[in-house]
Amino acid sequence: MNIHSYEKLWLIAALLLIVGFIATITYGSVGLGIAMVDDSQDTVNPGSLDEDFGEPRVEHVGENEYEAYVIAQTFMYQPDPIEVPENSEVTFHVTSRDVIHSFSLVGTNVNTMVIPGEVSSMTAEFDEPEEYGVVCNEYCGDFHHTMEGMVHVVPEDEFDMTELSVEADDEVELGDEATFNVTVENGMLDDLETTVTFEIDNETVEEEITVAGGGAEETTFTVDSSDLGEGDHDWTITVDDYDDSGTLTVVDELEDENDGGNNDE
């Protein structure tokens, strides 16, 4: 059978197109790491997001490796923004507290449905400082269009996972000591060597501390209220770029809460 040369060309072109379509689909489903959310993923109770999702956060899990635990709910993401350093590999674990959402990181191949009771996990690499928007592509209610978040990729020298908390007296009696309990948490795997600076009025005290990787360190500052005198005294505690502040009130005599009323017979 004689086949015209033009028909041969069309047959060859059609075969090439079919092979090209198959190669494109294969690359999209395998090469890009695209996967469906299925029963092989972790499951959680959406009504009680304890354990991993009890505190939405970013964790340092290895050298340049991080994990972000993210909750989607109408009409927000937690945490927001998500902050990670440049030159890092980040695995996002995302679940929903209420209805079906999506977690789509604009400009990357991170794009997944977020289903209550299921955990979607995706990994992305961030080489340079940049800001990425997070949007929801699944209709989730009247204000679906307002549901958005941010991922901030910051320079390595600007990134840390330090947390500062302070428990302090609000009011003390003249002659008593005022106590300031300071806790510094280190979310990185490496030990943190830093300085805690305590300032009240014109007095400044510094203490060097070492916080183990993934741990916390506590320290306490005390002040003799007689040295301060009666009145309000502003204080500030600083660790690196973090600070907490408040006011200590020194009174001549603390009021007894039990003496607040009259007892008529």
Side-chain angles (χ1 to χ4, degrees):
M1 181 177 67
N2 184 33
I3 301 177
H4 195 278
S5 57
Y6 285 115
E7 292 181 342
K8 290 181 180 179
L9 288 175
W10 280 111
L11 285 171
I12 293 172
L15 288 173
L16 290 175
L17 282 173
I18 292 172
V19 172
F21 288 146
I22 293 174
T24 301
I25 294 171
T26 302
Y27 175 71
S29 60
V30 178
L32 295 179
I34 297 175
M36 297 296 292
V37 178
D38 55 30
D39 291 338
S40 65
Q41 301 286 339
D42 293 335
T43 59
V44 293
N45 180 355
S48 177
L49 292 176
D50 300 325
E51 300 179 2
D52 289 338
F53 292 93
E55 182 184 350
R57 67 201 181 281
V58 174
E59 283 189 359
H60 187 201
V61 296
E63 185 176 359
N64 299 325
E65 294 181 7
Y66 298 83
E67 292 187 347
Y69 291 89
V70 184
I71 295 176
Q73 68 181 78
T74 52
F75 300 95
M76 60 187 292
Y77 296 96
Q78 296 176 294
D80 182 37
I82 300 169
E83 186 173 287
V84 296
E86 64 180 329
N87 299 318
S88 64
E89 180 181 277
V90 182
T91 299
F92 298 92
H93 304 288
V94 192
T95 192
S96 170
R97 193 187 297 276
D98 40 40
V99 299
I100 293 177
H101 300 280
S102 83
F103 185 86
S104 302
L105 196 57
V106 179
T108 74
N109 64 344
V110 174
N111 182 13
T112 184
M113 290 180 68
V114 184
I115 303 173
E118 302 286 342
V119 178
S120 302
S121 298
M122 307 138 289
T123 300
E125 294 183 357
F126 301 101
D127 297 326
E128 298 178 353
E130 196 168 340
E131 292 187 354
Y132 297 87
V134 180
V135 296
C136 178
N137 291 327
E138 298 287 336
Y139 182 75
C140 54
D142 292 342
F143 293 93
H144 157 72
H145 62 284
T146 67
M147 186 167 176
E148 58 184 18
M150 292 294 297
V151 173
H152 293 172
V153 182
V154 301
E156 289 183 88
D157 58 359
E158 296 180 10
F159 179 79
D160 67 48
M161 299 178 69
T162 304
E163 292 188 15
L164 168 67
S165 59
V166 180
E167 292 184 1
D169 293 322
D170 293 326
E171 187 178 60
V172 295
E173 189 172 299
L174 187 65
D176 291 344
E177 283 190 338
T179 304
F180 301 81
N181 296 313
V182 182
T183 302
V184 181
E185 297 183 36
N186 176 21
M188 303 293 286
L189 295 180
D190 298 328
D191 292 350
L192 170 68
E193 295 183 357
T194 187
T195 302
V196 182
T197 303
F198 171 61
E199 298 179 61
I200 187 166
D201 289 349
N202 296 320
E203 299 275 337
T204 300
V205 180
E206 293 185 345
E207 183 173 337
E208 305 288 335
I209 63 171
T210 299
V211 188
E217 187 71 21
E218 297 181 355
T219 187
T220 300
F221 296 95
T222 58
V223 177
D224 189 340
S225 62
S226 297
D227 296 334
L228 298 175
E230 291 185 53
D232 294 335
H233 305 272
D234 295 332
W235 58 265
T236 302
I237 292 177
T238 306
V239 176
D240 296 335
D241 294 328
Y242 302 87
D243 64 73
D244 198 347
S245 59
T247 300
L248 171 67
T249 301
V250 179
V251 297
D252 181 53
E253 184 176 355
L254 291 175
E255 293 184 4
D256 190 339
E257 295 181 358
N258 294 324
D259 293 340
N262 295 322
N263 294 323
D264 296 329
E265 295 183 1

